[in-house]
Amino acid sequence: MSIQIVSLGNHYNGLYDTEKTSVVGLYLRYILRSQDINESHPVFKVYQASLRSEDRVGIVAYECLDLDTFSCDLQSSLATLAGADIVVLNFGVENRPLFLEIKNNFAPLLKQIFSHRQSVPIIVLATGHRDSPSCTCPMCTSDRAMTVSSLEGLQLAKDIGLGATYLELLSFNSFYLKNNLYYFRELLEYYIMQTMKNKSSETREKKKNKVIRIQPPKLEQPVTMPVLKDEPSRYNTDIRKLLDQCHCVDVHFCTADLNPICGAHRVVLCSVSYGFMLLFDLIPAKEIHEFNLQETVRTYLSVYQEPTVSMNNTPVRVIVKDVHFHKCLPDILHFIYSGASQWQLLEHDLKEKLKDDEEADYVSHIVQSLLNKPGTDSHSGTPLSLSESIGFFFNNTSLADVVFQVQDTKIPAHRSVLAARCDVMAAMFSGSYMETNCALIPVHGISKDTFLNFLEYIYTDTVCPASIPEAMSLMICSEMYQVSRLQHICEGCITTQLQSMTSRELASTSLNVVSLLQKAKVMYETQPAK
């Protein structure tokens, strides 16, 4: 037994899609792995496949992507459509001309053809994204006027009648393809199995006058929302990776004869050491009351004075005056970028490098003097937290080498921290982009408060949205910059706040649940960070 499916239209949405295709075609190619494709038909592209079930079901699908070609061989097209067991009408929410053509020409045709076969399922399928209704700029208002609303799609299904079902899915790009095909697969295969049962029943019982109407599937609603798993922090790993990959280096350590040793980042060095803050003139010497720290900086380090004025973001050169210190400098930097707390590991590495315990103790003493904050002991107290120390530079002009223009506000930032914590920022600052050497970067489509919350997470690894709308805005920003852990934090915040609200409280808010479900992709299982 075989089931005949006719698919009319496509989900092409203009600039956002590269080619015309239909969901039925994607389903047959990706899910059923259909290889037997006949393209010799003058109107339809013909697919043949088998549905894997207890009784193997053959599927013959006729796909007409361009409705203008339907009338090329009208008699053959009408015969194919009349023989369909399932009909799928495709259109993109941003393709209003195609929607109007289906509504004005094909909806009446379907009502006429299937007026005596009401058991034929008809699926009205809309795909694509709509602009947020919150934006009132002329461009977004004009775009929304050209899109097809959910109410118009539902009304089209009602106008067709015959038990037509309306389904709306997101764009079929690489990100949403798997989930969208899963939802469509469940619905289509339900209708296929029900149609096969009805065909068998009609054959056995010969009930020609009995109308068998296929009811839409009844989907069970979850009792409680799923518990989201926490994604572990990658903060320390991100900072260590910054040193290994040498992104946005603004310090070059050199020997006395200016031979380079390795690169580093001022914001990380200054976050763990008053000695480096003193070296880079971040704090005046008069504010450091301990003579040992000033003497250590003067004795072992100095900033090379370039003969000419350097350009913006040009790394400064720091001369390391002690031969043992510059020999161990890579190990010392790894110690600093790991939070400057693993002293025993540093001492072990120094002894392995120098092969002399006295020299290793000498270098260790230099590091202790550099990293020791005034009035404290390097080996006492709680281990230094990188997120807390680097967080001091959040929204701080000290050492800032880039400024973001968000609405009417300028927000200072540090390329090295952004590149370490966000792969999109790392690519933006290291590739052939306008932002690579630009000191002022405009940010569009994000509010000032949302971008500040985003940067706060980048610097401190913590964020706490105060409301569901704030969490939704921050989640959209995290998706834009591909910061997955922040996205999961926002999803958890939305879930927690929704679970704590009673139905009366939820009804009294202005939350659009459909919009919320479209934007918040709740992750049932989160993969561990790589």
PDB file of all heavy atoms in Angstrom, residues 45-57:
ATOM      1  N   LYS A  45       8.228  17.569  -9.059  1.00  0.00           N
ATOM      2  CA  LYS A  45       9.382  16.733  -8.774  1.00  0.00           C
ATOM      3  C   LYS A  45       8.869  15.546  -7.953  1.00  0.00           C
ATOM      4  O   LYS A  45       8.203  15.727  -6.938  1.00  0.00           O
ATOM      5  CB  LYS A  45      10.445  17.493  -7.985  1.00  0.00           C
ATOM      6  CG  LYS A  45      11.683  16.658  -7.663  1.00  0.00           C
ATOM      7  CD  LYS A  45      12.650  17.430  -6.782  1.00  0.00           C
ATOM      8  CE  LYS A  45      13.293  18.573  -7.528  1.00  0.00           C
ATOM      9  NZ  LYS A  45      14.328  19.246  -6.717  1.00  0.00           N
ATOM     10  N   VAL A  46       9.156  14.334  -8.395  1.00  0.00           N
ATOM     11  CA  VAL A  46       8.556  13.142  -7.805  1.00  0.00           C
ATOM     12  C   VAL A  46       9.586  12.423  -6.930  1.00  0.00           C
ATOM     13  O   VAL A  46      10.695  12.146  -7.379  1.00  0.00           O
ATOM     14  CB  VAL A  46       8.022  12.190  -8.894  1.00  0.00           C
ATOM     15  CG1 VAL A  46       7.322  10.997  -8.262  1.00  0.00           C
ATOM     16  CG2 VAL A  46       7.065  12.930  -9.828  1.00  0.00           C
ATOM     17  N   TYR A  47       9.204  12.157  -5.671  1.00  0.00           N
ATOM     18  CA  TYR A  47      10.029  11.402  -4.733  1.00  0.00           C
ATOM     19  C   TYR A  47       9.365  10.058  -4.448  1.00  0.00           C
ATOM     20  O   TYR A  47       8.132   9.965  -4.387  1.00  0.00           O
ATOM     21  CB  TYR A  47      10.193  12.136  -3.403  1.00  0.00           C
ATOM     22  CG  TYR A  47      10.897  13.459  -3.472  1.00  0.00           C
ATOM     23  CD1 TYR A  47      10.215  14.610  -3.845  1.00  0.00           C
ATOM     24  CD2 TYR A  47      12.242  13.578  -3.148  1.00  0.00           C
ATOM     25  CE1 TYR A  47      10.851  15.837  -3.896  1.00  0.00           C
ATOM     26  CE2 TYR A  47      12.886  14.798  -3.192  1.00  0.00           C
ATOM     27  CZ  TYR A  47      12.188  15.927  -3.567  1.00  0.00           C
ATOM     28  OH  TYR A  47      12.809  17.131  -3.600  1.00  0.00           O
ATOM     29  N   GLN A  48      10.166   9.039  -4.245  1.00  0.00           N
ATOM     30  CA  GLN A  48       9.676   7.738  -3.823  1.00  0.00           C
ATOM     31  C   GLN A  48      10.499   7.265  -2.648  1.00  0.00           C
ATOM     32  O   GLN A  48      11.726   7.333  -2.682  1.00  0.00           O
ATOM     33  CB  GLN A  48       9.752   6.720  -4.974  1.00  0.00           C
ATOM     34  CG  GLN A  48       8.801   7.016  -6.133  1.00  0.00           C
ATOM     35  CD  GLN A  48       8.895   5.983  -7.238  1.00  0.00           C
ATOM     36  OE1 GLN A  48       9.836   5.212  -7.281  1.00  0.00           O
ATOM     37  NE2 GLN A  48       7.919   5.979  -8.130  1.00  0.00           N
ATOM     38  N   ALA A  49       9.812   6.822  -1.594  1.00  0.00           N
ATOM     39  CA  ALA A  49      10.510   6.386  -0.384  1.00  0.00           C
ATOM     40  C   ALA A  49       9.634   5.389   0.351  1.00  0.00           C
ATOM     41  O   ALA A  49       8.480   5.141  -0.038  1.00  0.00           O
ATOM     42  CB  ALA A  49      10.843   7.578   0.510  1.00  0.00           C
ATOM     43  N   SER A  50      10.177   4.795   1.391  1.00  0.00           N
ATOM     44  CA  SER A  50       9.439   3.847   2.222  1.00  0.00           C
ATOM     45  C   SER A  50       9.520   4.291   3.663  1.00  0.00           C
ATOM     46  O   SER A  50      10.593   4.672   4.147  1.00  0.00           O
ATOM     47  CB  SER A  50      10.014   2.436   2.081  1.00  0.00           C
ATOM     48  OG  SER A  50       9.850   1.956   0.756  1.00  0.00           O
ATOM     49  N   LEU A  51       8.382   4.236   4.361  1.00  0.00           N
ATOM     50  CA  LEU A  51       8.333   4.577   5.781  1.00  0.00           C
ATOM     51  C   LEU A  51       8.574   3.317   6.584  1.00  0.00           C
ATOM     52  O   LEU A  51       7.869   2.315   6.435  1.00  0.00           O
ATOM     53  CB  LEU A  51       6.968   5.171   6.131  1.00  0.00           C
ATOM     54  CG  LEU A  51       6.770   5.604   7.585  1.00  0.00           C
ATOM     55  CD1 LEU A  51       7.731   6.739   7.916  1.00  0.00           C
ATOM     56  CD2 LEU A  51       5.338   6.049   7.818  1.00  0.00           C
ATOM     57  N   ARG A  52       9.587   3.362   7.438  1.00  0.00           N
ATOM     58  CA  ARG A  52       9.935   2.184   8.226  1.00  0.00           C
ATOM     59  C   ARG A  52       8.927   2.012   9.358  1.00  0.00           C
ATOM     60  O   ARG A  52       8.875   2.801  10.276  1.00  0.00           O
ATOM     61  CB  ARG A  52      11.339   2.321   8.796  1.00  0.00           C
ATOM     62  CG  ARG A  52      12.405   2.400   7.704  1.00  0.00           C
ATOM     63  CD  ARG A  52      13.763   2.717   8.293  1.00  0.00           C
ATOM     64  NE  ARG A  52      14.790   2.784   7.267  1.00  0.00           N
ATOM     65  CZ  ARG A  52      15.056   3.845   6.538  1.00  0.00           C
ATOM     66  NH1 ARG A  52      14.345   4.937   6.714  1.00  0.00           N
ATOM     67  NH2 ARG A  52      16.009   3.832   5.629  1.00  0.00           N
ATOM     68  N   SER A  53       8.101   0.996   9.248  1.00  0.00           N
ATOM     69  CA  SER A  53       7.087   0.707  10.254  1.00  0.00           C
ATOM     70  C   SER A  53       6.834  -0.790  10.249  1.00  0.00           C
ATOM     71  O   SER A  53       7.501  -1.559   9.547  1.00  0.00           O
ATOM     72  CB  SER A  53       5.796   1.481   9.950  1.00  0.00           C
ATOM     73  OG  SER A  53       5.286   1.074   8.691  1.00  0.00           O
ATOM     74  N   GLU A  54       5.853  -1.265  11.052  1.00  0.00           N
ATOM     75  CA  GLU A  54       5.537  -2.683  11.095  1.00  0.00           C
ATOM     76  C   GLU A  54       5.115  -3.175   9.709  1.00  0.00           C
ATOM     77  O   GLU A  54       5.542  -4.230   9.250  1.00  0.00           O
ATOM     78  CB  GLU A  54       4.425  -2.938  12.119  1.00  0.00           C
ATOM     79  CG  GLU A  54       4.847  -2.630  13.539  1.00  0.00           C
ATOM     80  CD  GLU A  54       3.730  -2.885  14.530  1.00  0.00           C
ATOM     81  OE1 GLU A  54       2.640  -3.302  14.091  1.00  0.00           O
ATOM     82  OE2 GLU A  54       3.965  -2.688  15.727  1.00  0.00           O
ATOM     83  N   ASP A  55       4.227  -2.430   9.055  1.00  0.00           N
ATOM     84  CA  ASP A  55       3.851  -2.703   7.668  1.00  0.00           C
ATOM     85  C   ASP A  55       4.517  -1.643   6.809  1.00  0.00           C
ATOM     86  O   ASP A  55       4.202  -0.464   6.914  1.00  0.00           O
ATOM     87  CB  ASP A  55       2.331  -2.642   7.506  1.00  0.00           C
ATOM     88  CG  ASP A  55       1.631  -3.704   8.325  1.00  0.00           C
ATOM     89  OD1 ASP A  55       2.154  -4.832   8.405  1.00  0.00           O
ATOM     90  OD2 ASP A  55       0.567  -3.391   8.885  1.00  0.00           O
ATOM     91  N   ARG A  56       5.453  -2.067   5.990  1.00  0.00           N
ATOM     92  CA  ARG A  56       6.232  -1.102   5.217  1.00  0.00           C
ATOM     93  C   ARG A  56       5.313  -0.293   4.308  1.00  0.00           C
ATOM     94  O   ARG A  56       4.568  -0.861   3.511  1.00  0.00           O
ATOM     95  CB  ARG A  56       7.283  -1.839   4.402  1.00  0.00           C
ATOM     96  CG  ARG A  56       8.479  -0.980   4.029  1.00  0.00           C
ATOM     97  CD  ARG A  56       9.631  -1.850   3.587  1.00  0.00           C
ATOM     98  NE  ARG A  56      10.796  -1.053   3.279  1.00  0.00           N
ATOM     99  CZ  ARG A  56      11.666  -0.634   4.155  1.00  0.00           C
ATOM    100  NH1 ARG A  56      11.490  -0.929   5.415  1.00  0.00           N
ATOM    101  NH2 ARG A  56      12.711   0.066   3.796  1.00  0.00           N
ATOM    102  N   VAL A  57       5.359   1.015   4.432  1.00  0.00           N
ATOM    103  CA  VAL A  57       4.455   1.907   3.715  1.00  0.00           C
ATOM    104  C   VAL A  57       5.251   2.626   2.626  1.00  0.00           C
ATOM    105  O   VAL A  57       6.261   3.271   2.908  1.00  0.00           O
ATOM    106  CB  VAL A  57       3.806   2.933   4.662  1.00  0.00           C
ATOM    107  CG1 VAL A  57       2.850   3.829   3.893  1.00  0.00           C
ATOM    108  CG2 VAL A  57       3.085   2.213   5.789  1.00  0.00           C
TER     109      VAL A  57
END
